[in-house]
Amino acid sequence: MLKDFDAVSLLQWHDARLGDAGLPAPASSPLWRWVESNHRHNCLLWDEEDRARRTDAGSAAIAASKRLIDQHNQLRNDAVEFIDEALLAQLDGIEPHADARLSSETAGAMIDRLSILALKIFHMHAQTRRSEAGAGHVATCTARLHRLVAQRHDLACCLDRLLFEAAAGHAYFKVYRQFKMYNDPALNPWLYGAAPAQPRGGVAP
């Protein structure tokens, strides 16, 4: 297993950080620094997604929320790539066996999904305590909470397996770049002044 990192320590820190926004990462390594960044931006993204769905706010406020969502999503995805780079740096020198499997989902992507699951569990648990919402609401949210916990357990086991197998040369993963084109002024035609005359979903002439 990699030094100072496994799924159990990750899940424990994800949960603890949701209860204490100022909680530092358990280690000062580059890996944990980017894990912290990923989780922080997922938290900010969650809050902004909620704000963007207000029905009592004007279009300017909603547009501002949408732009913040784009910013946090970009930084969240950047952190995923840096997490993978940090993990692969720790695995440097380990030659995958000839029959090693390629994992199309990277460890960083799994860590990102575990961060999101921690948020879902945290907020779904809050819904199970809303007695004023009625017994049906509480029962539905309790069932969903149990499912989310099971999903997180399964994913955490998959993460540990991938890291264990990678350290033993039985599996490997690569850094996959996201290339979010809509945030890049050089790649988004609406930003560099070459927007299409008609959206692709429009009616054909």
Side-chain angles (χ1 to χ4, degrees), residues 73-74 76-77 177-184 187:
N73 195 41
Q74 182 68 60
R76 160 210 172 199
N77 281 289
R177 304 299 178 185
Q178 299 296 318
F179 298 126
K180 297 290 186 181
M181 298 176 69
Y182 54 78
N183 280 336
D184 190 333
L187 299 176

Side-chain angles (χ1 to χ4, degrees), residues 9 40 51 61 69 97 99 104 106 116 134 139 160 163 185:
S9 60
R40 172 162 40 87
R51 287 193 192 93
I69 287 168
H97 297 176
D99 61 348
S104 62
T106 72
I116 295 168
D160 269 347
L163 294 178

Side-chain angles (χ1 to χ4, degrees), residues 30-31 34 81-91:
L31 172 58
W34 290 113
E81 295 179 10
F82 284 119
I83 289 169
D84 282 328
E85 288 181 356
L87 286 168
L88 289 172
Q90 290 195 39
L91 294 167

Side-chain angles (χ1 to χ4, degrees), residues 2-25:
L2 297 171
K3 182 180 179 182
D4 299 325
F5 190 84
D6 57 28
V8 171
S9 60
L10 175 69
L11 267 57
Q12 289 176 342
W13 183 79
H14 274 164
D15 289 343
R17 178 60 182 266
L18 290 173
D20 179 2
L23 183 70

Side-chain angles (χ1 to χ4, degrees), residues 48-87:
E48 209 58 52
E49 290 277 13
D50 279 351
R51 287 193 192 93
R53 285 157 178 79
R54 291 171 294 170
T55 58
D56 61 345
S59 57
I62 301 303
S65 283
K66 290 293 188 181
R67 287 190 174 89
L68 285 172
I69 287 168
D70 273 354
Q71 292 173 21
H72 292 311
N73 195 41
Q74 182 68 60
L75 292 169
R76 160 210 172 199
N77 281 289
D78 289 347
V80 170
E81 295 179 10
F82 284 119
I83 289 169
D84 282 328
E85 288 181 356
L87 286 168

Side-chain angles (χ1 to χ4, degrees), residues 13 94 124 133 194:
W13 183 79
I94 297 174
M124 193 65 73

Side-chain angles (χ1 to χ4, degrees), residues 82-177:
F82 284 119
I83 289 169
D84 282 328
E85 288 181 356
L87 286 168
L88 289 172
Q90 290 195 39
L91 294 167
D92 187 40
I94 297 174
E95 190 68 28
H97 297 176
D99 61 348
R101 67 181 181 91
L102 169 63
S103 177
S104 62
E105 182 174 33
T106 72
M110 292 183 183
I111 290 166
D112 177 57
R113 287 173 59 201
L114 287 168
S115 167
I116 295 168
L117 279 166
L119 278 157
K120 289 182 177 181
I121 288 168
F122 178 84
H123 289 284
M124 193 65 73
H125 184 255
Q127 292 298 317
T128 67
R129 301 195 301 270
R130 287 187 58 213
S131 56
E132 83 285 356
H137 177 86
V138 171
T140 296
C141 292
T142 298
R144 290 176 178 176
L145 176 61
H146 292 162
R147 179 65 61 86
L148 288 167
V149 170
Q151 289 174 187
R152 184 168 70 157
H153 173 267
D154 291 347
L155 181 55
C157 291
C158 290
L159 173 63
D160 269 347
R161 179 187 175 190
L162 175 59
L163 294 178
F164 179 82
E165 291 182 350
H170 296 303
Y172 66 102
F173 59 94
K174 305 174 183 179
V175 178
Y176 290 119
R177 304 299 178 185

